[in-house]
Amino acid sequence: MSYLEFGAIPLQVNPDLQEERDQASFHVTELTHIIDGGAEKTQLRKRLEKLIYSDPDFRRFPDVRTFGTKSEFYGASVLKSIKLFQLRKEHQWTDEESDIVHSLVDHGHALGLHHAMFIPALERLATDEQKAKWLTIAKQYKILGTYAQTELGHGTYLQGLETTATYDPGTQEFILNTPTISAMKWWPGSLGKSSNYAIVLATLITRGKRHGMHPFVVQLRSLEDHQPLPGIKVGEIGAKMGTLSTDNGYLILNNIRILRENMLMKNAQVSPDGTFTASAPNQANYATMVLLRVRISEFAYTNISKAVTIGIRYSAVRRQSKLDPEEKEAKILEYQTQQYKLFPGLALAYAILFSTKLLKKKYREAQTEIMKGNLQSLPELHCETSGSKAFCTEHMLKEVEIIRQSCGGHGYLAASGIGMMTSSSAPLVTVEGENTVMYLQVARYLLKRFSNAKSGEQIEGCTSYLSMNHAPYLCPFLSEKDCRNLSSLCDVYRYRAFIVISRVVRTVQTDIKDGLPQHDAFNKNLVHLVRAARAHCYFNVVKDFAEAVKELDASIQICTVLISLCCFFAVHGIVENSGDFLQTQTIGVEQLKWLKNLQTSLLAEIRPNAVALVDAFDYHDITLTSALGSYDGNAYERLYQSTEKDSMNSQEVHSSYHTYLKPFIQEMNKAKL
């Protein structure tokens, strides 16, 4: 074969990858149906996939993302948003169908916040009259909105927001201002160049008194020529590590007057004379953020499942060195060290999948009550979504980077798809609440619930274990075989969480008793409080995964594989955090030795089904956007083909040669003479 033919991609699947599929112990389609939520959901996704990818624009977006400039990518992202809006309207997609489509074409698109936050905020925070005015035209795309909360100087500390909305009873208007440089809105997606409206979160001031954060509908740009309105300065915040499809923006407000009715008044009202009335706690305004944290957990699943699909498929076709001197070079997936890099991410993907399915169900049930005015479930929901967001994104980002490294030098190429996935995953640990802050909010809830349990209250929900009788505790691992028992593994995680929480509670209480102010006692123990929150979150994810596997209505082959994967997820977590488990006397040194042995044994058990487990995610090649992870496994041919799309290769001699290099070489040659 001549070098000119190297770029031709074979029509057949790489034999090494096909060999992996042939040895799977279960039917991939059955597991795909479980992941999607049933065969009907899989068929729905396939129909939507076919519709979307029949459009050449959607087929070319991945290339623009990989090889285009920031401006080109943003332009394509705007086009993608518009096409999605048009298709949603044309086909009358439900929210579920729209979510499926967005996951197919990458969650990042220029006007994504319109459906992700602007419309949900109107649905949750507006009165019926306001919905009739704003929600209708928003759903008809007559206005395009975003959600402006974060400021240059304040993010997760909402009480510190400096943007003000001062009521003027003489004109029955609110006057909005960002009075300092740190008060300007900074980071909201779709704000810089795309949106013409925003729901602005500002501190309400009426009759000289502050009433906390409230939402206001503010027009930013002209509906005629898209120019910013008088008194408004808005723009893009600049280059970022990733998420180039979104125009994260800044917003400066200078005496912007809006009608009284532009304050979303479902939970609080300001009358024409300026009287403030709260019909629900101010925390009710956080409902939109709670929803977004559920979605961020889902994004974490998407990113880790894509990354591990690429990593495992590539490892099945990449051969390097010899295990047996008499045989050909081995697939790198055969090496135990490679499995140890990849399989934690594989197990994490399934753990997040099942945990977020349960979380989304809880959210829907709670939201039904919240919309009726019953906020009883909101504190628990806030704890669970904050913890899930922090845990899922933290662990996802770690594993995605490990998977990128597992692909060697090729993983650094944009065409691999993983490098860009790493940079697009990074913001998730800070967006909508930096993870340390999220863990501390979980910790505050744990302290309160622990106190309730100690006073005799029967605790329910995700913290129900705090009211259980944990003494005397006996490690359930009496032999190495016991370490495989999912119930026993859950018990170990439960007890670890209980001990870590109880110890930090006693420490904080002792510090307060010794004379430290409560805020100082809390600050003195922040590291331990985060540790307690992490232990709680890890327990709940392990429990969710284990319970989901136990309740599966599936073939014995799939149940067997998922039990092994769940067991590996739990065992790997104990080994990685062994100091915590030993310190809390949840396990002993002998049990840790058993668990380490089991961990490596499980690598070998998972190995034959590794490719089938990622195939079950069923990502279309266009969705995956990876030369290394394509379904056919022809990684080298696709890498070489990708070079043809790079603008650097559009001409044999780059212009810099004539401008700089040629004169330099000529000068050097003259110098020799």
Side-chain angles (χ1 to χ4, degrees), residues 286-298 355-356 358-364 366-367 370 377-393 428 431-435 438-439 441-442 445 462 536-537 540:
Y286 301 164
T288 307
M289 289 185 293
V290 169
L291 170 62
L292 192 55
R293 286 168 188 159
V294 175
R295 288 180 170 169
I296 290 172
S297 297
E298 292 179 316
S355 184
T356 53
L358 180 59
L359 181 64
K360 198 167 186 179
K361 179 183 177 183
K362 291 178 180 178
Y363 171 80
R364 286 169 177 161
Q367 184 60 28
I370 291 171
S377 61
L378 189 57
E380 171 103 356
L381 187 64
H382 175 68
C383 170
E384 290 204 69
T385 55
S386 299
S388 176
K389 184 266 178 188
F391 180 91
C392 293
T393 58
L428 296 181
V431 69
E432 288 308 311
E434 191 273 330
N435 280 357
M438 293 294 95
Y439 279 130
Q441 291 185 7
V442 172
Y445 184 74
C462 69
H536 167 79
C537 294
N540 274 289

Side-chain angles (χ1 to χ4, degrees), residues 482-500:
D482 295 331
C483 298
R484 286 179 171 272
N485 187 289
L486 295 185
S487 295
S488 297
L489 286 164
C490 288
D491 288 342
V492 167
Y493 272 89
R494 180 186 297 110
Y495 187 68
R496 191 269 293 241
F498 175 80
I499 292 299
V500 173

Side-chain angles (χ1 to χ4, degrees), residues 117-118 121 125 146-151 154-155 158-165 176-179 183-186 188 198-204 212-218 251 253 258 262-264 282-289 432:
M117 293 202 73
F118 186 68
L125 304 177
T146 185
Y147 188 86
Q149 174 178 293
T150 302
E151 298 176 352
H154 286 90
L158 302 183
Q159 298 175 42
L161 292 182
E162 298 178 77
T163 304
T164 58
L176 273 73
N177 277 289
T178 49
M184 73 171 76
K185 297 300 181 183
W186 188 276
I199 292 176
V200 175
L201 278 294
T203 297
L204 168 63
M213 180 190 74
H214 292 274
F216 300 84
V217 177
V218 180
L251 173 65
L253 303 170
I258 60 174
N262 281 37
M263 172 183 166
L264 298 181
N282 199 36
Q283 288 84 349
N285 290 325
Y286 301 164
T288 307
M289 289 185 293
E432 288 308 311

Side-chain angles (χ1 to χ4, degrees), residues 331-348:
K331 299 176 182 179
I332 60 173
L333 191 55
E334 297 292 355
Y335 293 95
Q336 189 182 69
T337 48
Q338 186 74 351
Q339 296 165 19
Y340 195 72
K341 291 177 183 178
L342 294 170
F343 293 177
L346 177 63
L348 177 67

Side-chain angles (χ1 to χ4, degrees), residues 11-178:
L11 297 177
Q12 72 274 14
V13 172
N14 186 308
D16 284 340
L17 194 54
Q18 189 58 53
E19 179 184 48
E20 297 291 327
R21 291 177 175 136
D22 292 341
Q23 72 178 4
S25 67
F26 63 90
H27 292 295
V28 170
T29 302
E30 182 187 359
L31 184 52
T32 298
H33 292 165
I34 292 170
I35 292 170
D36 286 337
E40 299 80 9
K41 297 293 178 64
T42 299
Q43 291 168 4
L44 171 62
R45 175 175 56 79
K46 293 280 193 183
R47 287 198 301 272
L48 292 170
E49 194 174 76
K50 184 177 181 181
L51 172 67
I52 291 296
Y53 291 140
S54 64
D55 185 325
D57 283 326
F58 282 108
R59 296 181 69 86
R60 74 178 181 88
F61 285 139
D63 286 343
V64 177
R65 181 176 65 178
T66 304
F67 301 104
T69 65
K70 176 183 175 181
S71 181
E72 289 170 340
F73 189 21
Y74 170 71
S77 183
V78 172
L79 174 61
K80 178 165 67 171
S81 296
I82 291 170
K83 290 213 167 202
L84 289 175
F85 292 164
Q86 290 171 335
L87 288 168
R88 179 174 182 142
K89 191 173 181 180
E90 177 185 350
H91 296 280
Q92 295 293 297
W93 285 339
T94 63
D95 287 342
E96 179 187 22
E97 289 169 329
S98 189
D99 286 345
I100 291 172
V101 170
H102 287 181
S103 69
L104 291 174
V105 299
D106 189 358
H107 293 286
H109 53 97
L111 297 169
L113 271 291
H114 183 74
H115 277 288
M117 293 202 73
F118 186 68
I119 286 178
L122 291 173
E123 290 172 335
R124 289 157 178 77
L125 304 177
T127 64
D128 289 340
E129 293 79 8
Q130 290 174 319
K131 288 178 185 179
K133 178 179 180 180
W134 300 110
L135 190 57
T136 302
I137 58 175
K139 288 186 173 181
Q140 293 173 344
Y141 308 114
K142 293 180 179 179
I143 60 173
L144 297 171
T146 185
Y147 188 86
Q149 174 178 293
T150 302
E151 298 176 352
L152 184 57
H154 286 90
T156 48
Y157 182 58
L158 302 183
Q159 298 175 42
L161 292 182
E162 298 178 77
T163 304
T164 58
T166 305
Y167 185 66
D168 179 356
T171 60
Q172 295 189 27
E173 294 173 321
F174 288 102
I175 308 169
L176 273 73
N177 277 289
T178 49

Side-chain angles (χ1 to χ4, degrees), residues 389-561:
K389 184 266 178 188
F391 180 91
C392 293
T393 58
E394 177 180 61
H395 287 265
M396 174 274 299
L397 182 60
K398 172 188 171 185
E399 296 301 335
V400 167
E401 173 57 18
I402 291 173
I403 292 166
R404 185 195 67 77
Q405 294 177 28
S406 78
C407 294
H410 295 335
Y412 192 67
L413 286 167
S416 76
I418 302 186
M420 196 168 293
M421 198 174 299
T422 304
S423 61
S424 65
S425 297
L428 296 181
V429 303
T430 51
V431 69
E432 288 308 311
E434 191 273 330
N435 280 357
T436 300
V437 177
M438 293 294 95
Y439 279 130
L440 288 172
Q441 291 185 7
V442 172
R444 286 186 176 90
Y445 184 74
L446 293 175
L447 293 184
K448 179 180 178 182
R449 299 296 276 174
F450 189 89
S451 176
N452 293 344
K454 287 303 256 184
S455 66
E457 182 180 335
Q458 190 61 38
I459 304 298
E460 297 180 352
C462 69
T463 56
S464 60
Y465 65 96
L466 295 179
S467 61
M468 294 171 61
N469 181 14
H470 291 273
Y473 169 81
L474 177 65
C475 178
F477 302 150
L478 304 180
S479 68
E480 190 166 339
K481 182 181 178 181
D482 295 331
C483 298
R484 286 179 171 272
N485 187 289
L486 295 185
S487 295
S488 297
L489 286 164
C490 288
D491 288 342
V492 167
Y493 272 89
R494 180 186 297 110
Y495 187 68
R496 191 269 293 241
F498 175 80
I499 292 299
V500 173
I501 294 166
S502 61
R503 284 179 178 176
V504 73
V505 168
R506 286 198 298 269
T507 303
V508 171
Q509 290 174 342
T510 299
D511 287 338
I512 293 173
K513 186 177 180 181
D514 290 344
L516 270 183
Q518 184 174 346
H519 63 274
D520 285 338
F522 200 78
N523 187 48
K524 182 183 174 184
N525 293 282
L526 287 181
V527 172
H528 300 302
L529 287 163
V530 169
R531 179 181 165 218
R534 280 196 172 105
H536 167 79
C537 294
Y538 220 135
F539 160 60
N540 274 289
V541 174
V542 169
K543 176 174 65 67
D544 291 345
F545 193 0
E547 289 179 353
V549 170
K550 289 177 182 177
E551 295 171 5
L552 271 184
D553 181 15
S555 66
I556 186 65
Q557 292 86 355
I558 282 188
C559 289
T560 300
V561 171

